[in-house]
Amino acid sequence: MPEIRLDKLVKRYGEVEVLHGVELEMADNEFTVLVGPSGCGKSTTLRMIAGLEDVSDGEIFVDGKPVSHLEPKDRDLAMVFQDYALYPHMNVAQNISFALRLARRPKAEINAKVREVAEMVGLTDFLHRKPGALSGGQRQRVAMARALAKDSSIFLFDEPLSNLDAKLRGQMRAELALMSARVEKNMIYVTHDQIEAMTLADRIVVMHGGYIQQQGTPEELFKRPVNKFVAGFLGMPPMNFLNGELSERDGAVFVQGAGFDLRLSDAKAAVARAHSSRNVVLGVRPSDLTFDSAAPSDQALQLGVEVSEYVGAQSVLLCKAGPGRVTVEVNSETPMAIGETLTFAVNPERVHLFDQQSEIAI
Amino acid sequence: MSLARANRLTPWMFLAPAAVIMAIALIYPLGYMIWGSFRAWDPSQTIGEAEFVGLKNYVTLWNDPNFRESLGVTLRFAFVVVVVEMVIGVGLALLLDRDIRGMSLLRTMFILPMMIAPVVVGLMWRYMYHPTVGTFNRTLESIGLPTVDWLGQHALLSVIIADIWQWTPFIFILSLAALQSLPRSALEAARIDGATAWQQIWHIKLPLMMPVLIVTGLLRLIDAFKVLEVILVLTEGGPGLSTEILALRISRTATEFRELGVAAAMSNYLLILLLLLTMAMFAFTRWQEARAARIRAASEDDQ
């Protein structure tokens, strides 16, 4: 179970540089998720680790040894592809056993291994089918089984669930979480779906524009995003951002903006005082707003409720706040009058402040 | 006429033009040829005047050693050229399936031989094969090697080389197209699974190209059975009967020997041969599919 280290990894396609010196360490037996919008460089990074893309600059170390000059087959890794990449002319058993057959393992061992992994992913009844006769979910399982059969110490996933429908995706996500707890491998998982990232990862690496924005546990990233991009990317519905200005009165620090004037908690106030610029962005997650008509005005937002989206136990309210929009997540049992302006309490411990210019968290 | 009746007739009305063209352009000449093959028919007669002789033309041909020789030459020629062209064409495609600067120019140059009229190809190769002034023998002489009697002693080989030169690009182009439409990620998966370049070709690329290769090979085989102009210009079927393929013999029987009935019977033999080949190929694919389905059904019964 090796440790993988990326050292100033750079990828260029001709003149265009798409990865700008990525530095990352992935510890032994860890589930790392690279997440970001499309074009952020996450797939390129994964494919460079796999050896499918050349390294333009920098180096990849596995257990301290440089590997970027090695062929994929010499890197001791297995990979699950977005489109499954099954061999269409081979049946399920042949797909699973391809790597073992190439390695000329004894027949009995191959058969035993195929049975073992097929049982693990629930494919025992389909071993003689060709991929063309399988459903999307079953193909996904074959891809997983094929990677598992290899017994490599590194396991790479390139958006493995994005071709499945929503229900199947949820189910496979749960199975993946179960599997990752059972097998001890260094797993690296690429996705654009922040829910997959949050639920599966031991550690999330958020990428944007060819740079790593932040890395840490899902909770760290959710609670303490280092910049506006990370704050807006993780969490569903996404965080609300309101432009405001810092001001000081009566020994407290306030954020003042269109239709609101919030008092910061003492801890936040201390940090805000030390910050040079007065122009900030206030970030509030939809779940940190609660309907409370008795809330004091320096701890509340006045929002005009425009639309209510019912999603079961929760409802998402789309509200008007000055020139912008704010979403609020409320319990569906709470009666809400569309079209009225209501008071929502803001938990002062849970607000985020970002510099307007640099978008870095204050 | 009621509306319902008109509606029922609509599809047939749309089919009618195609059916008429097919009857005029395909079924009528084919029937004419089959009908003619049962007669002792001279070009000066109309088909009605020709004497009906039953299967006599077919029987005579079957017992004619020259016809059998010609059939043998055709089979040898066709199988050798198709096998060699497939090997070289597919090999080149595997070799050149990559992004190299100037690749598109190279590909265009590769298919040039295919665009030249067969008669011109025949003339070109005839000059190159010429025993004294031809390119090949002069080159051999200049480097001190003995000359070769290209169109005499080795006539069939020379004809085969010319055909390979002209038609390998056809297989190259189709194989290259097949290769480039293969799923990229399956090949990447094979690289990760540990396949070497050879193993990728053998286990992934060739099996996935197979449907295209079968059709390509079949098309070339059908074409090779009918080749005429190049051989006519190069050797006129000689020396002796060594390069007299069936198409050439048919043409000569009709024009020189003025035996239209025999020529028609010969054409029918060729047609039957090609039909058998094509059907055998389809039967083989069917059999393979059926076998795969049987294995699957058997394994699912076990569960």
Side-chain angles (χ1 to χ4, degrees):
Chain A
M1 317 304 122
E3 173 204 271
I4 303 169
R5 189 159 63 84
L6 310 183
D7 184 31
K8 299 197 186 65
L9 208 57
V10 172
K11 179 68 187 175
R12 284 182 215 99
Y13 291 106
E15 295 291 297
V16 188
E17 192 173 287
V18 294
L19 274 189
H20 319 284
V22 166
E23 305 237 7
L24 192 59
E25 264 178 57
M26 284 156 278
D28 190 0
N29 197 8
E30 191 179 34
F31 200 118
T32 310
V33 175
L34 306 182
V35 67
S38 52
C40 73
K42 56 191 192 298
S43 274
T44 310
T45 307
L46 189 81
R47 289 170 59 83
M48 282 160 92
I49 296 172
L52 297 171
E53 297 277 353
D54 294 331
V55 173
S56 308
D57 224 328
E59 185 56 81
I60 301 165
F61 294 96
V62 174
D63 268 347
K65 289 187 231 29
V67 298
S68 61
H69 60 284
L70 293 178
E71 274 288 298
K73 66 188 172 69
D74 301 320
R75 295 191 186 193
D76 186 27
L77 44 81
M79 183 159 168
V80 177
F81 291 80
Q82 176 174 1
D83 61 355
Y84 322 133
L86 301 179
Y87 311 125
H89 58 296
M90 299 184 195
N91 66 30
V92 172
Q94 288 165 330
N95 262 286
I96 296 176
S97 63
F98 187 59
L100 300 174
R101 285 185 285 135
L102 289 179
R104 298 193 185 284
R105 300 278 187 79
K107 232 186 176 124
E109 185 196 323
I110 293 177
N111 288 339
K113 191 79 207 174
V114 169
R115 295 231 155 264
E116 183 197 323
V117 295
E119 206 152 302
M120 229 167 135
V121 299
L123 277 173
T124 318
D125 294 348
F126 304 100
L127 284 176
H128 294 275
R129 292 236 188 136
K130 294 255 177 88
L134 297 176
S135 69
Q138 288 166 337
R139 283 180 212 178
Q140 179 58 59
R141 283 162 206 270
V142 179
M144 216 80 90
R146 185 175 63 182
L148 279 170
K150 259 194 87 186
D151 260 339
S152 347
S153 43
I154 304 171
F155 216 116
L156 307 177
F157 298 89
D158 188 6
E159 308 224 8
L161 304 184
S162 52
N163 282 9
L164 301 177
D165 63 60
K167 192 179 165 194
L168 209 50
R169 200 180 311 153
Q171 190 188 333
M172 290 299 288
R173 201 169 62 214
E175 286 183 25
L176 250 173
L178 271 176
M179 192 198 77
S180 77
R182 256 184 308 172
V183 280
E184 300 207 333
K185 287 167 192 288
N186 193 335
M187 305 212 201
I188 309 174
Y189 188 106
V190 160
T191 181
H192 62 267
D193 180 359
Q194 50 98 18
I195 295 178
E196 272 171 40
M198 297 292 273
T199 51
L200 290 169
D202 292 327
R203 196 149 60 99
I204 295 181
V205 178
V206 179
M207 296 185 71
H208 182 48
Y211 293 99
I212 291 181
Q213 303 290 322
Q214 189 177 4
Q215 48 176 307
T217 64
E219 201 184 347
E220 270 168 32
L221 266 63
F222 188 76
K223 289 195 173 157
R224 288 185 293 283
V226 296
N227 59 30
K228 195 178 154 192
F229 176 80
V230 175
F233 192 76
L234 296 178
M236 200 69 214
M239 187 185 278
N240 297 300
F241 296 110
L242 298 161
N243 285 340
E245 206 177 312
L246 292 174
S247 61
E248 194 155 357
R249 318 194 276 281
D250 321 324
V253 179
F254 289 80
V255 190
Q256 205 168 2
F260 66 92
D261 190 11
L262 290 181
R263 188 161 55 120
L264 293 178
S265 69
D266 291 345
K268 292 263 178 223
V271 191
R273 275 196 195 101
H275 190 65
S276 55
S277 165
R278 300 290 87 192
N279 292 328
V280 296
V281 177
L282 177 77
V284 186
R285 292 203 184 276
S287 52
D288 291 335
L289 288 164
T290 36
F291 173 58
D292 180 3
S293 45
S297 69
D298 62 354
Q299 277 174 33
L301 296 179
Q302 302 290 326
L303 301 172
V305 181
E306 289 186 320
V307 180
S308 168
E309 291 178 331
Y310 179 80
V311 277
Q314 303 286 311
S315 288
V316 175
L317 307 179
L318 299 177
C319 310
K320 207 166 151 53
R325 282 219 154 55
V326 166
T327 53
V328 183
E329 206 172 27
V330 295
N331 192 319
S332 292
E333 301 305 315
T334 322
M336 285 294 150
I338 307 294
E340 277 180 40
T341 299
L342 302 171
T343 309
F344 291 87
V346 181
N347 183 342
E349 301 295 333
R350 297 259 184 99
V351 299
H352 302 261
L353 288 177
F354 306 95
D355 186 273
Q356 254 184 38
Q357 205 85 74
S358 67
E359 303 198 337
I360 291 171
I362 298 170
Chain B
M1 190 163 61
S2 74
L3 195 65
R5 200 178 142 82
N7 275 342
R8 223 173 34 247
L9 285 177
T10 313
W12 299 107
M13 271 149 56
F14 281 116
L15 275 176
V20 169
I21 288 169
M22 194 150 141
I24 295 173
L26 188 71
I27 296 174
Y28 175 72
L30 201 65
Y32 205 90
M33 182 179 76
I34 293 170
W35 185 228
S37 72
F38 296 121
R39 291 170 176 256
W41 180 19
D42 185 279
S44 60
Q45 301 167 308
T46 62
I47 196 164
E49 293 165 353
E51 181 195 354
F52 184 83
V53 293
L55 287 173
K56 179 164 166 279
N57 288 337
Y58 290 92
V59 176
T60 320
L61 276 175
W62 193 245
N63 294 323
D64 178 0
N66 288 349
F67 170 73
R68 287 208 220 160
E69 174 69 27
S70 181
L71 188 66
V73 170
T74 311
L75 288 173
R76 245 176 297 157
F77 172 83
F79 283 106
V80 172
V81 296
V82 171
V83 168
V84 176
E85 283 166 16
M86 289 297 285
V87 171
I88 300 178
V90 174
L92 276 178
L94 287 169
L95 212 58
L96 294 177
D97 173 32
R98 59 192 70 186
D99 293 320
I100 310 173
R101 200 186 295 250
M103 195 59 222
S104 57
L105 183 72
L106 197 64
R107 271 181 222 148
T108 318
M109 274 163 58
F110 259 122
I111 59 169
L112 275 180
M114 240 168 77
M115 303 184 198
I116 303 173
V119 176
V120 180
V121 172
L123 282 171
M124 211 172 80
W125 280 87
R126 198 162 110 182
Y127 287 124
M128 292 202 287
Y129 279 141
H130 193 277
T132 51
V133 297
T135 320
F136 293 133
N137 276 353
R138 275 173 46 187
T139 311
L140 286 173
E141 248 173 20
S142 68
I143 56 173
L145 289 174
T147 57
V148 176
D149 184 11
W150 292 107
L151 293 177
Q153 217 182 334
H154 304 289
L156 187 60
L157 179 70
S158 304
V159 167
I160 285 172
I161 292 173
D163 192 87
I164 290 170
W165 176 84
Q166 191 178 18
W167 288 109
T168 300
F170 175 74
I171 289 164
F172 166 72
I173 287 293
L174 290 185
S175 314
L176 195 64
L179 260 177
Q180 287 177 343
S181 64
L182 292 189
R184 289 284 134 188
S185 60
L187 290 167
E188 289 177 344
R191 281 174 71 193
I192 286 179
D193 272 349
T196 60
W198 276 112
Q199 286 169 328
Q200 283 175 47
I201 290 175
W202 193 249
H203 294 293
I204 312 288
K205 289 183 184 173
L206 284 180
L208 289 182
M209 287 164 76
M210 207 38 89
V212 175
L213 293 186
I214 287 177
V215 173
T216 311
L218 195 61
L219 282 176
R220 265 313 291 143
L221 201 59
I222 290 173
D223 245 19
F225 274 115
K226 299 185 303 186
V227 69
L228 176 68
E229 299 100 316
V230 175
I231 296 181
L232 187 70
V233 175
L234 265 179
T235 65
E236 290 180 70
L241 292 178
S242 63
T243 56
E244 189 173 85
I245 50 142
L246 269 183
L248 194 57
R249 192 173 180 83
I250 292 169
S251 130
R252 288 172 68 177
T253 309
T255 54
E256 283 173 39
F257 310 142
R258 303 169 64 84
E259 287 174 349
L260 289 184
V262 181
M266 238 187 285
S267 302
N268 281 339
Y269 269 132
L270 189 58
L271 186 66
I272 290 167
L273 188 67
L274 290 177
L275 276 178
L276 282 177
L277 263 174
T278 316
M279 281 182 340
M281 200 68 92
F282 282 125
F284 177 71
T285 352
R286 279 273 177 82
W287 175 76
Q288 267 193 324
E289 277 165 16
R291 190 168 141 261
R294 230 182 10 255
I295 291 172
R296 198 166 69 214
S299 75
E300 271 160 27
D301 284 347
D302 292 345
Q303 310 291 336

